[in-house]
Amino acid sequence: MQIFLPIAEVSVNAFTLLGLGGIVGVLSGMFGVGGGFLITPLLFFVGIPPAVAVATSANQIVASSVSGVLAHFKRKTVDLKMGFVLLAGGLVGSAIGIQIFNLLKAMGQVDLLVTLCYVVFLGIIGFLMLIESIRAIKRAKGRPGGRPARKKHLWVHTLPFKMKFRASGLYISAIPPIAVGVMVGMLGAVMGVGGGFIMVPAMIYILGMPTKVVIGTSLFQIIFTAGFTTLLHAYTNHTVDVLLAFLLLVGGVIGAQIGTQIGLKLKAEQLRIALALLVLAVCLKLGIDLLIPPKDLYSLGS
């Protein structure tokens, strides 16, 4: 069932796009990530131009995140106060990121730089998460209650402008959450990601939030940041393909509900190690694609 995408200007199988949206929706519900780090490179693989893939994937991220966060609201695993603080930084970061994206587009380097960003960020985050997850599992086995001791980050507690986040059981400065939000907003605009693969580890290891609360709060923030990014891309670049977005949305909403149920049945340490392995797998695939010569070698000259 081939359909023509007007903005992307390519024909793609509709069921393939529904399947991609569904897979990313499952991951969104399980791990609290928007899924952009996976959907964007997957859209590259099926022939969608990078600029369109980056802009349109933000739509799918919004849908998966809304579906996932509704399930978490029912279980009261969303820290709204933390979510709004992260959002304040996220909106600023998105506006900055759009300007960077426009600059790269004008230089003609969007494709290469977006892929390189993925390889670097996914490699670093995946490796650090994998090491920490293995340590957490070892600590859990070594303690009689089976629960690891929470790591204290003293530098976070010494910063000014402290706020109390009751749902997370934290009393920390607002500066680190805002900084995390700005970084994630910039990545979302440049790379077409929700930023969950950066935000979730940062919320766990820097802010010290409980894993179950992190997932719902991350999704809550991603809804607004990704939505804002989509509007900016549509207004400044005109690269949002509505038909492509709709097919990804349908698959994403269904997948997110399934992913939430799976995530609730897994332990926190298991969720962390599964996400780390997934991040490293995507990084490896993109890295290999950068090194392998393309099938069609050609150059454009005046």
Side-chain angles (χ1 to χ4, degrees), residues 71-114:
H72 282 282
F73 265 126
K74 291 178 184 176
R75 295 170 181 83
K76 297 180 180 178
T77 53
V78 180
D79 188 332
L80 286 175
K81 193 173 182 181
M82 178 66 81
F84 281 117
V85 173
L86 290 165
L87 179 60
L91 295 178
V92 173
S94 294
I96 296 168
I98 287 291
Q99 298 305 315
I100 296 171
F101 184 88
N102 290 341
L103 181 64
L104 294 173
K105 193 178 176 187
M107 293 167 61
Q109 298 296 325
V110 170
D111 192 0
L112 176 62
L113 218 72
V114 166

Side-chain angles (χ1 to χ4, degrees), residues 289-298:
D289 287 348
L290 274 178
L291 296 173
I292 295 173
K295 291 179 182 178
D296 300 316
L297 291 171
Y298 63 91

Side-chain angles (χ1 to χ4, degrees), residues 8-24:
E9 297 181 342
V10 291
S11 293
V12 186
N13 188 291
F15 293 112
T16 301
L17 296 177
L18 285 169
L20 292 181
I23 291 167
V24 173

Side-chain angles (χ1 to χ4, degrees), residues 89-242:
L91 295 178
V92 173
S94 294
I96 296 168
I98 287 291
Q99 298 305 315
I100 296 171
F101 184 88
N102 290 341
L103 181 64
L104 294 173
K105 193 178 176 187
M107 293 167 61
Q109 298 296 325
V110 170
D111 192 0
L112 176 62
L113 218 72
V114 166
T115 309
L116 281 173
C117 282
Y118 271 109
V119 172
V120 172
F121 278 108
L122 294 181
I124 293 170
I125 295 297
F127 182 69
L128 292 175
M129 279 194 73
L130 185 61
I131 292 172
E132 179 58 31
S133 300
I134 293 168
R135 285 177 183 168
I137 289 171
K138 286 180 179 177
R139 284 199 301 270
K141 288 180 179 177
R143 290 170 66 86
R147 294 182 65 179
R150 187 180 294 179
K151 199 183 247 185
K152 298 220 177 207
H153 298 271
L154 296 175
W155 67 273
V156 174
H157 295 278
T158 58
L159 294 172
F161 309 111
K162 288 189 175 182
M163 295 178 70
K164 188 172 282 185
F165 301 97
R166 295 186 184 279
S168 301
L170 295 175
Y171 181 60
I172 59 169
S173 168
I175 295 171
I178 289 173
V180 169
V182 170
M183 181 174 66
V184 168
M186 288 176 65
L187 288 174
V190 175
M191 296 167 63
V193 296
F197 70 96
I198 299 282
M199 183 176 287
V200 170
M203 289 163 81
I204 294 170
Y205 302 123
I206 297 175
L207 306 181
M209 290 177 66
T211 305
K212 293 293 181 184
V213 178
V214 162
I215 294 173
T217 308
S218 169
L219 290 174
F220 174 77
Q221 189 268 354
I222 285 168
I223 291 169
F224 297 98
T225 308
F228 183 60
T229 301
T230 301
L231 288 173
L232 289 177
H233 270 300
Y235 179 73
T236 60
N237 302 317
H238 312 292
T239 48
V240 177
D241 194 306
V242 177

